[in-house]
Amino acid sequence: MLLPGLIAVIIFCYVPMAGLVIAFKDFSPLAGYKHSPWVGWENFRYMLAYPSFYKVMWNTVFISTMKIIVDLVAPVTMALMLNEMRKVRMKRYIQTIIYLPHFFSWVILGGILVDILSPSEGIINAIIKGVGLPPVSFLSDNKWFPYIVVISNEWKEVGFNTIIYLAALTSIDPSLYEASVIDGASRWRQTWHITLTGIRPTVILLACLSLGNVLNGGFDQIFNLYSPIVYESGDILDTLVYRMGLVETNYSVATAIGMVKSIVSLIFIGSGYYLAYRFAKYRIF
């Protein structure tokens, strides 16, 4: 049963890796892979000397790190709040509402966000203007754009990520709560000493594994939300690779940037896997 999936992975993930060779060539589509001249490390030197490369790297790390932190805090908080709810029907309604955005693409959610955050007709700016403040161009202001990316990403994923922590909560022994009630513990004490302690291994495991996403800012999301006005704060490695490779047809440099990103991500994934084994005893093999 694994054979079709294994074949698909080999064809679409490993066979295309042969194209990395153009990172060391002055690639021309007319000359092809074989006849394009070798240039050694020239494309990597061009990448390091590119004026906005370090700014793009900073944007990628900054946005990704904020996403990782919020992706850990918000789902845990949401899971604890849902766990405390006693009205089952209301709990199901809330779960359905927060899960729903996960199933929409960023093309749809990007259009919704543009309407909601519009300076002229958006509901957010209507509220801001209602309290006497000037409207804010959230998607065309470098000060606001990275935070809008993080908040909108959490709006999309918080419901789905909450499932993991709700599943972890079900593994806590109910007799611990009964014993704490006999000892006179308040709900806050139960949450702090039993609930959070019970899901701590899951939180540590996901925190360690998330290190592999330090250079993944989220191409789909940013590509559908940004514009040249916010390149200074919103341009990440994936969007830079897209522009250099498909817009400017500088295939070799784009491949070099993507190759460096993949190597660094592999190091982070390995480190995250080691930390997950070190602190949460998680291992695949």
Side-chain angles (χ1 to χ4, degrees):
M1 293 180 64
L2 291 175
L3 188 59
L6 183 61
I7 293 173
V9 169
I10 292 173
I11 293 175
F12 294 107
C13 296
Y14 288 97
V15 173
M17 289 177 69
L20 290 175
V21 69
I22 68 174
F24 302 95
K25 290 191 168 192
D26 183 14
F27 178 71
S28 168
L30 296 177
Y33 291 99
K34 292 183 178 179
H35 303 291
S36 296
W38 292 94
V39 294
W41 298 98
E42 185 59 33
N43 292 318
F44 294 91
R45 282 193 284 269
Y46 181 88
M47 174 191 73
L48 295 175
Y50 192 71
S52 60
F53 176 74
Y54 295 100
K55 183 63 180 174
V56 171
M57 179 66 80
W58 165 252
N59 291 340
T60 307
V61 174
F62 181 63
I63 291 174
S64 301
T65 304
M66 284 200 299
K67 281 185 175 181
I68 290 172
I69 294 172
V70 177
D71 272 346
L72 288 173
V73 176
V76 171
T77 306
M78 184 62 69
L80 293 176
M81 293 171 65
L82 290 173
N83 190 54
E84 293 297 322
M85 291 190 71
R86 294 293 174 262
K87 294 183 178 179
V88 178
R89 180 172 294 183
M90 179 60 71
K91 183 178 178 179
R92 288 176 180 171
Y93 284 149
I94 294 175
Q95 284 180 293
T96 303
I97 291 171
I98 62 175
Y99 292 163
L100 200 57
H102 173 78
F103 300 100
F104 291 101
S105 71
W106 275 114
V107 177
I108 298 173
L109 293 180
I112 294 173
L113 278 171
V114 169
D115 287 338
I116 292 176
L117 301 176
S118 169
S120 58
E121 300 176 353
I123 185 172
I124 301 298
N125 273 300
I127 296 172
I128 292 174
K129 287 186 284 188
V131 296
L133 296 174
V136 179
S137 299
F138 291 102
L139 296 178
S140 57
D141 188 330
N142 282 297
K143 183 176 64 177
W144 285 100
F145 187 78
Y147 302 102
I148 295 299
V149 169
V150 175
I151 293 170
S152 58
N153 178 72
E154 204 52 38
W155 168 49
K156 185 176 188 294
E157 301 296 345
V158 67
F160 193 78
N161 293 337
T162 301
I163 296 174
I164 300 172
Y165 297 105
L166 286 174
L169 288 172
T170 61
S171 65
I172 299 175
D173 187 354
S175 64
L176 295 175
Y177 292 103
E178 295 170 1
S180 67
V181 171
I182 295 173
D183 290 339
S186 63
R187 295 297 299 177
W188 169 247
R189 287 291 181 186
Q190 291 177 15
T191 301
W192 183 259
H193 293 290
I194 299 176
T195 308
L196 286 177
T197 302
I199 64 174
R200 186 171 58 189
T202 304
V203 175
I204 293 173
L205 173 62
L206 294 180
C208 294
L209 295 180
S210 65
L211 287 177
N213 293 321
V214 168
L215 293 186
N216 287 324
F219 173 79
D220 292 345
Q221 179 191 14
I222 292 181
F223 183 72
N224 283 285
L225 293 178
Y226 84 158
S227 62
I229 301 174
V230 290
Y231 277 179
E232 182 183 346
S233 64
D235 201 15
I236 61 173
L237 286 175
D238 290 331
T239 52
L240 179 63
V241 168
Y242 165 78
R243 284 205 316 280
M244 295 197 77
L246 297 181
V247 178
E248 300 176 10
T249 64
N250 200 343
Y251 304 109
S252 296
V253 176
T255 304
I257 297 173
M259 188 175 176
V260 169
K261 181 201 165 190
S262 299
I263 292 172
V264 175
S265 295
L266 179 63
I267 294 172
F268 276 115
I269 289 172
S271 303
Y273 182 73
Y274 170 75
L275 292 174
Y277 173 70
R278 178 74 174 75
F279 294 106
K281 303 302 178 187
Y282 171 82
R283 61 188 305 172
I284 299 175
F285 304 106

